[in-house]
DNA sequence: GAGCACTGC
């Protein structure tokens, strides 16, 4: 078995999160300032030194913290860096993992007086990172968290009037930009982890660039912009900010050996299994393995197979602890990957791409990369259908753009995975594809902004009074069709009006933008007073906007079904969820109740938090908040009026088709209506995997839909034809 | 008739 994967001799290189650096790897013409030639040894100081799942902890020895700060390689470049940054409007900072850039640069800027007049903002794609970085930096400054150094994430604002260095999520800064598009609070915005190209960071690029320009024109305090990236391809960033210089910082990474397969592998799961046991039989048992697969089902199956095989290994072979890791895994089980394996036992972590960026596990010596990932994809066929539909002024289902599919990773992603093996010591990465195959991988992951539904982003840009969304200065422009589809959606929701050829928000549209929700959900809430069911709708929308509160362990299916029976409503999933939330509330938000009823208590607590945030927003808008008091029909009517674009009807042959494009769809197996055949439903989401599945369904009356949008439904509903 | 990568406001 072990030799099947067939690995040729290793290649050595010093990795960052990118390919090996060579002297000539920087294209001519780019201004690169080398700030440091050699990194030091040993750990410490850099970010993500602790697993993001763990609580950030304050160091008990402030002197030690200061000492560690000074021992960072970046410290030697401090003066040079400050001199450079002081004179620049914009800069791109390329820093390898462990260079200490995220914790140190904001402090240098502050100490250098750049943060005196206003706040220095540092954005992060993830909440945990923003929180732990703020904690770390406030420790280093020996101040209380929330004073000089603070953070702002959703539901949690630990800042004060004294705060000069503020860590925040990119989504949070974007939201702030809606009320102040010039970002007047800030003297400097640092966009960290820019290489990840989240949709929020990408929009911020444009927002920050426009604010910088406008502030200059108005003679206001200049806005300094620093883009930080951990990968080599920073040209795009530099070009976008009119040729901003690239400052280079070396980090501390350990060498990693890379093995490719000799032959392409048609079965990557089998190849992964073979590699794991090959390593297992040869390497000392203290060295852990991290395997990248695509999804929950695969990961659970592989974990089981590993356990089964490990039971029957020859004597003298170490034992094995196979641990699955994916986002929907209950928290307690996720924590297991951080615990050390018992003596004489090897930890094998089988993970989705969550271990690529979000979760860092210490002690990984081997990475097994299948080269596959499950991700959202932009489906050109759907776009074709859409543009055809648009020319006929018929509108597509809003989620028709997004398909979740197993696909090849990009080169950047492969390097990121490889880098996970060299965090504490030298490592080894087994790539389950040939070097030729690797060369054919896409260079970079397609930025999220070109793969996702743009309805929310478009609404936000319009709320910031961007003059023209179609010509907005995106660093990587989405296709015009793509933006046009978002505009069409917003028009249908009544959010837009065309004033002298210029798109502006209607009063409803402006209100919609105030909610941290998908526009259609915001619209549902805004419609609810008309149906006297705002309390109920707030609950339903909160439940829909977090991960499922239903916990379904496959091994206890019968139990789950029996327990869940009492909540099920024949009116569909929305009313069923409402019943569950009510029961949860009536038992005083009890965790034991959650456990007994197979409800994910963590997600349920989050629902309560979201609900209270949404309720506050309604309150500030002076919306009447009333309950329909058990009248579920008005709740369903309200859903029908706001989600009328996402409707499907039962066909004579027993299948379903969407009302507007007649696309064949099916009821998702997780729905309470899975075994039922209602004539007409609205759904919350279309999930396109093997089939197009409707998720979260509500039984509605075709007549209500007709009432909601007579023009849209004329000639469309089967009910109105027969 | 049978299934859901990952973030975030």
């Amino acid at each position: 078995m072990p030799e099947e994967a067939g690995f040729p001799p290793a290649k050595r290189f010093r990795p960052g999160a990118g390919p090996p650096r060579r002297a000539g790897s920087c294209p001519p013409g780019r201004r690169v300032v080398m700030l440091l030639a050699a990194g030091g040894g040993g750990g410490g100081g850099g970010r993500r030194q602790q697993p993001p799942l763990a609580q950030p902890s304050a160091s008990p020895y402030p002197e030690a913290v200061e000492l560690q700060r000074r021992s960072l390689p970046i410290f030697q470049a401090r003066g040079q860096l400050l001199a450079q940054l002081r004179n620049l409007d914009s800069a791109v900072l390329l820093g390898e993992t462990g260079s200490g850039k995220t914790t140190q640069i904001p402090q240098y800027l502050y100490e250098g007086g750049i943060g005196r007049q206003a706040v220095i903002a540092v954005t992060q794609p993830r909440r945990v990172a923003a929180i732990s970085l703020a904690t770390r930096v406030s420790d280093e400054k020996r101040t209380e968290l929330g004073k000089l150094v603070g953070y702002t994430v959703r539901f949690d604002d630990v800042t004060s009037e004294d705060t000069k260095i503020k860590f925040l999520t990119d989504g949070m800064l974007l939201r702030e930009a809606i009320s102040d598009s010039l970002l007047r609070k800030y003297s400097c915005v640092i966009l960290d982890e820019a290489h990840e190209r989240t949709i929020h960071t990408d929009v911020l690029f444009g927002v920050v660039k426009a604010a910088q320009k406008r502030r200059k024109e108005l003679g206001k305090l200049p806005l300094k912009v620093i883009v930080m990236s951990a990968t080599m391809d920073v040209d795009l960033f530099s070009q976008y900010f009119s040729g901003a210089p690239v400052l280079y910082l070396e980090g501390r990474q350990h060498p990693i050996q890379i093995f490719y397969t000799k032959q392409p592998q048609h079965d990557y799961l089998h190849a992964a299994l073979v590699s794991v046991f090959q390593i297992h039989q040869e390497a000392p048992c203290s060295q852990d393995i991290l395997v990248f697969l695509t999804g929950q089902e695969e990961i659970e199956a592989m974990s089981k197979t590993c356990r089964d095989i490990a039971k029957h290994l020859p004597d003298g072979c170490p034992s094995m602890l196979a641990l699955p890791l994916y986002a929907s895994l209950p928290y307690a089980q996720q924590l297991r990957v951080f615990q050390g394996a018992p003596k004489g036992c090897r930890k094998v972590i089988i993970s989705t791409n969550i271990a690529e960026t979000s979760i860092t596990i210490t002690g990984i010596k081997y990475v097994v990369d299948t080269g596959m990932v499950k991700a959202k994809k932009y489906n050109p066929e759907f776009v074709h259908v859409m543009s055809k539909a648009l020319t006929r002024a018929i509108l597509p289902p809003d989620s028709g753009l997004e398909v979740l599919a197993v696909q090849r990773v990009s080169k950047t992603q492969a390097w990121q995975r490889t880098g996970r093996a060299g965090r504490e010591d030298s490592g080894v990465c087994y790539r389950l594809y040939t070097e030729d195959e690797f060369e054919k991988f896409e260079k970079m992951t397609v930025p999220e902004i070109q793969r996702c539904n743009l309805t929310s982003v478009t609404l936000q840009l319009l709320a910031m009074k961007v003059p023209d969304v179609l010509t907005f200065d995106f660093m990587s422009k989405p296709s015009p069709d793509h933006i046009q589809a978002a505009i069409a959606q917003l028009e249908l929701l009544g959010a837009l009006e065309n004033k002298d050829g210029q798109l502006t928000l209607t009063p409803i549209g402006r209100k919609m933008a105030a909610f941290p929700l998908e526009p259609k959900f915001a619209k549902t809430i805004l419609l609810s007073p008309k149906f006297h069911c705002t309390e109920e709708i707030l609950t339903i929308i909160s439940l829909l906007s977090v991960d499922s509160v239903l916990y379904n362990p496959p091994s206890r299916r019968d139990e789950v079904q029996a327990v869940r029976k009492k909540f099920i409503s024949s009116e569909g999933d929305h009313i069923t969820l409402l019943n569950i939330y009510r029961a949860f509330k009536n038992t005083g938000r009890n965790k034991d109740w959650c456990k007994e009823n197979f409800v994910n208590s963590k997600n349920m607590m989050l629902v309560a938090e979201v609900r209270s945030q949404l309720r506050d927003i309604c309150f500030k808008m002076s919306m009447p908040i009333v309950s329909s008091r058990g009248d579920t029909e008005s709740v369903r009517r309200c859903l029908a009026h706001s989600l009328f674009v996402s409707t499907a009807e039962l066909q004579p042959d027993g299948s379903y088709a969407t009302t507007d494009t007649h696309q064949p769809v099916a009821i998702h197996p997780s729905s309470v209506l899975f075994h039922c055949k209602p004539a007409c439903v609205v759904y919350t989401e279309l999930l396109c995997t093997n089939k197009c599945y409707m998720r979260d369904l509500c039984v509605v009356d075709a007549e209500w839909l007709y009432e909601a949008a007579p023009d849209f439904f004329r000639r469309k509903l089967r009910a109105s034809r027969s």
Side-chain angles (χ1 to χ4, degrees), chain A residues 25-35 80-81 83-94 227 232 234-239 241-249:
Chain A
S25 65
C26 302
R30 189 215 275 168
R31 289 167 60 197
V32 178
V33 184
M34 294 290 283
L35 288 167
Q80 223 183 324
L81 257 172
Q84 286 277 344
L85 292 176
R86 201 188 298 275
N87 298 319
L88 292 168
D89 286 336
S90 320
V92 179
L93 220 129
L94 200 166
V227 178
M232 291 304 289
V234 286
D235 284 350
L236 201 59
F237 301 139
S238 170
Q239 279 161 20
F241 287 99
S242 347
V246 176
L247 312 179
Y248 178 77
L249 277 167

Side-chain angles (χ1 to χ4, degrees), chain A residues 151-171:
Chain A
Y151 68 88
T152 306
V153 296
R154 191 183 187 183
F155 308 129
D156 205 3
D157 181 11
V158 186
T159 60
S160 61
E161 284 186 359
D162 303 332
T163 304
K164 295 293 178 195
I165 301 174
K166 175 164 146 186
F167 288 87
L168 72 177
T169 46
D170 47 14

Side-chain angles (χ1 to χ4, degrees), chain A residues 465-495:
Chain A
K465 300 194 173 66
V466 162
D468 184 1
V469 199
L470 279 164
T471 58
F472 183 74
D473 188 12
F474 287 108
M475 191 161 67
S476 303
K477 285 196 189 347
S479 74
D481 276 359
H482 203 152
I483 302 174
Q484 203 67 59
I487 291 171
Q489 273 302 307
L490 291 172
E491 264 172 350
L492 213 51
L493 289 167

